[in-house]
Amino acid sequence: MEFEIWWLLGIPLFFSLGWIAARVDIRQLISESSSLPKGYFKGLNFLLNDQPDKAIDAFIEILKLNPETVELHFALGNLFRRRGETERAIRVHQNLLSRPDLPIEQQTQAMFELGQDYLKAGLLDRAEETFNQLVAGQYAIPARKALLEIYQKEKEWLRAIDAAHALQESGAGGRQKEIAQFYCEIAQDELVHTHPEAAMLMLDKAIATDRHNVRAAILTGDIHLAKGDVEQAVLAWRRVEQQSVPHVALVAQRLMDGYRKLERPHEGLNLLKSYMAETPSIDLLEVVFKATLELETVAEANQLVSSELRRTPTLLGLDKLLDARMMTAPPEVLPELSIVKNLVSGYAQKFTRYQCTHCGFKARQFYWQCPGCSKWETYPPRRTEELNVMN
């Protein structure tokens, strides 16, 4: 009982201490609030009432009267940029730069933030001009990264190569993979404009930069084919297996067409079957299935798909199996089989996509650079359903 009485006596004491602490906090808050300019509360009120233009005007007026509120403007500008209100962000950072008495460190920060505003707004020329002024200071590495992003957006691949080399030299990590892809982009452009020799020169540089670059091997085959040298084209495409077996699916149709032109289609089919035995692939199965129907028998095509479906059960594989079964099915079961086939095909189409491992962006075709996040070589050469089955 004595212990409980002491606790009862202590309750008023704790309450008094809490009241005193609260009074101290309130006084401190009032003191700090009174030191803030009235325009701060005015601007805050405009923000809360969804009047951002008037809020900016109020905050800019504060800056003219009180330079110590610079950090408030940086926070405000970044907030607008994150919300996609780039015009307002640009206005905030431009007003910061217009102050002649702004310290050099904060001027540099404001310029960097303004460059990011321009980049977010798609004003690439202005962004490039701004970041080029920052490549020698404390923002050198992020400015060079931004320039690299700009050159890729503009598809200025030679300038992107220079920017990537500059980043490497500044200690920002290796960029061999990206540089090799830039050379491949130039080579592809040259190939489109029927300049095979110039394209091959770029591919040599790509391979010298990154000897594991699969795309360079594929494009080398494409160039040989454009020049009429089918044998060399096939040899180039076959080198893909040495670099990455899963990527063979990307050249399977090229290989099969090449062997047909060389009048050795069975050799091509057997080669693709050996690849499929090594690594399952829906895209590879598609090519092998069609070639088996053409060069062998429906029964062998049926057996091929059935075996592959047992090894890797997928809806896309089942769709191929139904194709084969419908070719030999009795007429009386074809209507029911056709219904099943259409149903399976409809669902299978949802899985005939590639998916970026970085951002998850899905696409029906294979990309070397993700359209969603712009990262290079983030698409596995397998469909999403295959990846789910394998995991």
Side-chain angles (χ1 to χ4, degrees):
M1 291 298 295
E2 187 177 352
F3 175 76
E4 294 177 0
I5 291 172
W6 275 109
W7 265 104
L8 292 172
L9 292 174
I11 289 174
L13 176 63
F14 291 135
F15 177 80
S16 300
L17 290 173
W19 182 83
I20 293 171
R23 292 284 295 174
V24 171
D25 288 342
I26 290 170
R27 286 176 181 175
Q28 183 179 356
L29 180 61
I30 293 172
S31 175
E32 291 177 356
S33 299
S34 62
S35 66
L36 288 172
K38 292 182 178 179
Y40 173 81
F41 297 102
K42 185 178 179 182
L44 190 60
N45 187 55
F46 282 134
L47 271 182
L48 293 174
N49 289 313
D50 199 23
Q51 295 177 284
D53 288 326
K54 292 183 179 180
I56 292 175
D57 291 335
F59 287 132
I60 289 171
E61 189 62 30
I62 296 171
L63 181 58
K64 293 177 182 176
L65 301 173
N66 186 358
E68 295 180 0
T69 58
V70 170
E71 292 303 324
L72 170 65
H73 283 68
F74 281 127
L76 184 65
N78 291 340
L79 173 64
F80 283 134
R81 186 171 66 241
R82 284 197 301 271
R83 291 177 56 183
E85 300 179 58
T86 52
E87 290 184 11
R88 290 170 176 147
I90 289 169
R91 185 178 170 189
V92 168
H93 293 129
Q94 283 178 335
N95 276 282
L96 278 172
L97 283 171
S98 69
R99 282 197 61 88
D101 58 340
L102 197 66
I104 185 65
E105 184 177 340
Q106 291 180 327
Q107 284 182 15
T108 306
Q109 183 182 354
M111 185 175 290
F112 178 73
E113 297 295 344
L114 183 60
Q116 289 187 303
D117 296 338
Y118 288 144
L119 184 58
K120 182 71 177 289
L123 303 172
L124 301 184
D125 290 342
R126 292 187 186 181
E128 180 184 353
E129 182 182 352
T130 304
F131 287 124
N132 270 323
Q133 298 178 57
L134 299 169
V135 294
Q138 66 185 56
Y139 288 95
I141 290 178
R144 291 187 188 280
K145 288 181 178 179
L147 286 169
L148 180 58
E149 181 182 346
I150 291 169
Y151 297 143
Q152 291 182 72
K153 287 179 179 293
E154 294 178 333
K155 300 188 182 301
E156 295 188 24
W157 304 116
L158 288 175
R159 300 182 75 180
I161 289 168
D162 291 339
H165 280 303
L167 269 173
Q168 287 188 152
E169 292 167 4
S170 64
R175 298 278 169 170
Q176 288 88 348
K177 181 172 69 176
E178 290 93 334
I179 293 171
Q181 287 291 344
F182 300 156
Y183 280 123
C184 287
E185 287 288 338
I186 299 172
Q188 191 158 307
D189 288 342
E190 295 288 1
L191 183 59
V192 168
H193 292 93
T194 62
H195 300 146
E197 299 303 328
M200 194 66 80
L201 180 62
M202 291 297 105
L203 291 179
D204 289 341
K205 291 183 178 182
I207 294 169
T209 303
D210 179 12
R211 61 188 181 89
H212 298 294
N213 188 284
V214 174
R215 187 184 183 187
I218 297 174
L219 285 173
T220 299
D222 293 346
I223 291 171
H224 284 305
L225 183 66
K227 294 167 65 176
D229 193 341
V230 181
E231 191 75 56
Q232 286 299 315
V234 167
L235 289 175
W237 293 326
R238 289 190 63 170
R239 282 198 291 273
V240 171
E241 180 198 9
Q242 301 167 12
Q243 297 171 309
S244 172
V245 175
H247 281 85
V248 167
L250 300 179
V251 294
Q253 191 61 60
R254 287 178 171 90
L255 281 167
M256 199 61 234
D257 292 341
Y259 276 107
R260 284 193 187 96
K261 290 179 180 179
L262 293 172
E263 298 183 353
R264 292 160 20 209
H266 287 88
E267 182 180 341
L269 178 58
N270 290 334
L271 175 67
L272 295 184
K273 283 183 177 180
S274 70
Y275 290 156
M276 200 165 66
E278 188 173 353
T279 179
S281 166
I282 291 171
D283 290 327
L284 188 55
L285 174 62
E286 174 81 19
V287 178
V288 173
F289 174 69
K290 290 180 179 178
T292 303
L293 286 174
E294 175 193 345
L295 300 172
E296 296 179 350
T297 65
V298 173
E300 287 173 305
N302 199 330
Q303 180 60 40
L304 169 80
V305 178
S306 181
S307 299
E308 193 62 24
L309 189 59
R310 290 192 190 95
R311 182 167 67 145
T312 310
T314 62
L315 276 176
L316 293 166
L318 177 59
D319 190 42
K320 292 292 108 187
L321 180 62
L322 289 170
D323 278 336
R325 292 292 167 85
M326 287 181 69
M327 293 178 186
T328 57
E332 61 270 18
V333 302
L334 275 177
E336 289 81 2
L337 200 57
S338 179
I339 293 173
V340 176
K341 159 70 178 168
N342 291 335
L343 183 62
V344 171
S345 294
Y347 280 103
Q349 288 301 313
K350 298 178 181 179
F351 299 101
T352 57
R353 297 175 186 269
Y354 299 99
Q355 184 171 8
C356 174
T357 57
H358 182 262
C359 70
F361 188 91
K362 294 181 180 180
R364 290 193 179 277
Q365 69 181 78
F366 181 87
Y367 287 101
W368 294 104
Q369 184 184 28
C370 175
C373 63
S374 299
K375 298 293 183 181
W376 290 94
E377 299 182 31
T378 54
Y379 275 92
R382 299 182 186 278
R383 304 289 179 169
T384 53
E385 189 184 15
E386 289 179 275
L387 294 172
N388 293 334
V389 169
M390 293 173 66
N391 292 334

